Structure formats: structure tokens, C-alpha cells
Amino acid sequence: MNPPTGQHTIVYCRVPNPGHWVPNHPENPSRIEALAGIKEWELPARLEESSASPAPEEALLAVHPQLHLDRLRRASEHGPTLIDADTFLTEASYEAARLAAGGVCLVGEAVLSGAANAGVALVRPPGHHATATQAMGFCLLNNAAIAARRAQALGHPRVLIVDFDVHHGNGTQHIFEADPDVALLSTHQRGIYPGTGRAREVGVGAGEGTIVNVPLPAYAGDQAFERVGAEILEPFARRFRPDALIVSAGFDAHWRDPLARLQLTTHGYFWLAGRLARLADELCGGRLILTLEGGYDVPALTGSVRAVLAALAGAEAPADPFPPPTRPEPEIHELIARVRSFHEF
């Protein structure tokens, strides 16, 4: 069934996974619970909320080997426990990760089938730090990678993943760095966890040139992201010519977020989402799928998600509920030139 003529349809799901939780951890169910009122937001679009079901085994195995899944399942059964200093498991965590991945598959399939113009998976745990064989950085399964392989299985062979989380999408890069049919563009703060994502990391072997890393200096904000969008994202996307566009949507690049020091505002997220939507319309029939990654200041997360949905719906930018950041933005001219030199555009 196609979306109604003249009206955008945005399908979304919310997967708070309350059983995947330990006290005093920033990655917790309140992030998703705060988004319960989405249907009350006035938008010129048809918003459809769908209930997620666990991702099928074949979708997980397209990214993660059986050994990794078995290891996660067994460790979860003995939870609560820590995988590393930041990443926890409870008895509910393995099924929670499957449900989060299933939510991304659900909205992705709605978009890829033509039943929706865009899909937004508001799920946790996040995924972009998880490699094929290692859970880390709050992430157990790589949701964006699972969505990319699902898109390929459904007949969309070339997939572009754009990751605007404040942390580098190291797991996504590791999974696809030798794959010429899946490209990744990651913007992230330089020098913070996980310590990867240098501009010179461009892919390997057959995948050389399909990885674009933009390691931004602390306090880069709306102006920097506008330049990256115009001078790096757009030429790279047009050269790659994707069949589907997947976004690892991290909202921890907002200036209020406690875990890092970039300075996006809700207006910055609005313009970034609008640029991605226009690129999807231009290059891949509007096939745009977003999956939540970081974002640990709950009011900023809520305001930024609202701004993104407004952009996807073709609405005016909502009023920013927060004052502007006070730090001046650093100059990024040399960074833009260095990234472009590695990719010759």
C-alpha cells in the first residue's frame, strides 16, 4: 500500500525496553519513554506508530555470526553483568537487543515497500559501536548494519549510512569497511570514545573510498554541520548513488548533552534532517530510515527528535526550547579540505 497522495506518511516505533536497565546509567528507558507523546505533535504528516517484534534470526545472522549471538544470549542469562566499563547486560538484554533490531527492520520494511515515506526507529539499546563480534559502548547488536543488510535482501543493493552521533560509528565502519556496496559517512567529535574515525580511515580493499570520517573539534555546531552537509555529505552521496539511506541518529551532539562537547541545536538537527530527506528524494526514491543511537539529555533528545520529525514532514522548524550555546565555533576549513583530499571531491 502506497502512502496517501499529497501527504507524507512517517512510520515510527518506540522500544523503551525497560528490562534492559541498571541504576545510574545514562542509557536508560527514560530516553524513549519521554517520546510517548509523539502523536500529539502537530505535523503536516500522517504519523503511524507500529509495534516492533524481535528481529528474525536471519536478519541478525546477516551481520553477526551465530557465535556472537550465542555468547550474548548466555551472558544475558547470567545478568546483570558488565561486558566492559560502560556496557551492561541484564537477564532481559538479549531479547531487548533483538527487539530493538526488529524495530529498525519494521520501519525499514515499511519504507522500502513504499508504505511510508520515512521510518524512525526510536529504540534502545543503540547499535553503532557493536562490531560483528563484539558488543561495546552501550551497544549489543548493530541496528543500522542489520537494517542495511535487510535493505539489500529486499532488493536495494547500494546503501548509504550517515551517522551523526557525537561518537564515531566504529562498529558500523568495521562491518562494512571492505564492502563496496555499503558506504558510511560519520561525523563525530575528535579524540573521544572510541578513539577511531580519523579522516584517513577511508575503507580497505574493495571498500576503499566508501568510508568518510569527519572528526570535528570540540564546540563545532550548526555552522560546522552546515558546511559538512554542503561540502562533504552531498558530493559523496551523489557520487555513491545509494538505493537506500539509513541514518544512525545520535542526538548526543546537542550542546546540552553530558557525554561530549559538540554544539548542535534543535534547529541544527532540523536542517540536517531536511538535507538528508532531500538527498533521499533526489537519489533513492525517498527511501530514508532513521535509527536512534545516542542522546542522554532527555529534554534535548525530545526537542531534537521533534525537530527531525518536523523536517521529515515538511513542516516549519519548531521553536528551539533552549537558549543558543555560548561557545564560539572553531574554524573547520582545514578539516573540510583534508577530508575532501582523501576522497577527491
Side-chain angles (χ1 to χ4, degrees):
M1 177 179 175
N2 290 325
T5 302
Q7 184 183 40
H8 267 43
T9 296
I10 301 171
V11 63
Y12 72 96
C13 67
R14 293 187 310 110
V15 180
N17 274 325
H20 174 69
W21 174 80
V22 293
N24 303 314
H25 198 285
E27 206 295 282
N28 61 65
S30 68
R31 304 174 63 227
I32 313 299
E33 291 164 352
L35 299 168
I38 283 178
K39 278 202 169 179
E40 299 171 9
W41 297 348
E42 293 186 7
L43 294 171
R46 185 170 170 231
L47 292 176
E48 289 193 356
E49 183 170 10
S50 295
S51 297
S53 56
E57 196 87 348
E58 63 268 20
L60 304 183
L61 289 171
V63 172
H64 299 284
Q66 187 68 59
L67 181 63
H68 176 65
L69 302 181
D70 291 343
R71 190 165 53 226
L72 268 183
R73 185 187 296 110
R74 287 194 300 269
S76 184
E77 288 170 354
H78 294 91
T81 186
L82 287 174
I83 294 174
D84 58 31
D86 300 312
T87 310
F88 64 88
L89 288 172
T90 70
E91 291 183 4
S93 293
Y94 179 70
E95 290 305 318
R98 282 191 63 205
L99 192 60
V104 183
C105 290
L106 169 81
V107 301
E109 288 166 10
V111 171
L112 297 172
S113 71
N117 301 94
V120 182
L122 301 168
V123 302
R124 60 172 296 273
H128 72 149
H129 293 309
T131 71
T133 59
Q134 180 63 52
M136 60 185 293
F138 309 170
C139 303
L140 306 182
L141 301 173
N142 195 305
N143 301 320
I146 291 166
R149 290 298 188 216
R150 198 69 172 164
Q152 291 179 317
L154 293 173
H156 305 281
R158 290 177 67 79
V159 179
L160 171 59
I161 301 172
V162 175
D163 186 332
F164 58 66
D165 191 276
V166 79
H167 302 97
H168 178 236
N170 63 297
T172 310
Q173 176 172 309
H174 187 268
I175 290 165
F176 294 119
E177 63 186 352
D179 188 336
D181 294 321
V182 180
L184 169 68
L185 187 149
S186 177
T187 57
H188 45 274
Q189 184 180 329
R190 182 177 65 223
I192 63 171
Y193 183 91
T196 53
R198 294 172 176 82
R200 65 174 179 268
E201 297 171 25
V202 298
V204 299
E208 186 175 352
T210 61
I211 303 294
V212 179
N213 283 305
V214 188
L216 293 161
Y219 306 112
D222 292 0
Q223 296 173 30
F225 276 82
E226 175 64 27
R227 286 200 63 186
V228 171
E231 299 178 50
I232 296 176
L233 170 60
E234 289 189 358
F236 179 63
R238 289 182 177 123
R239 186 171 70 186
F240 184 73
R241 306 296 301 183
D243 300 305
L245 176 55
I246 295 170
V247 180
S248 276
F251 295 97
D252 41 7
H254 192 280
W255 68 266
R256 283 174 54 104
D257 199 274
L259 297 193
R261 293 184 177 181
L262 292 188
Q263 292 195 119
L264 269 176
T265 68
T266 61
H267 281 167
Y269 280 113
F270 175 86
W271 293 113
L272 178 57
R275 187 184 296 274
L276 290 165
R278 290 188 294 274
L279 276 173
D281 286 341
E282 174 189 341
L283 300 174
C284 54
R287 290 182 283 273
L288 179 62
I289 302 153
L290 289 81
T291 181
L292 181 65
E293 300 287 359
Y296 306 102
D297 180 275
V298 172
L301 170 65
T302 304
S304 300
V305 170
R306 185 168 190 167
V308 165
L309 285 175
L312 299 183
E316 296 293 321
D320 192 329
F322 309 108
T326 57
R327 294 262 192 168
E329 288 199 37
E331 174 56 56
I332 64 163
H333 178 76
E334 290 184 4
L335 171 63
I336 295 282
R338 186 164 72 253
V339 172
R340 287 175 60 95
S341 72
F342 283 118
H343 294 276
E344 298 181 353
F345 55 68

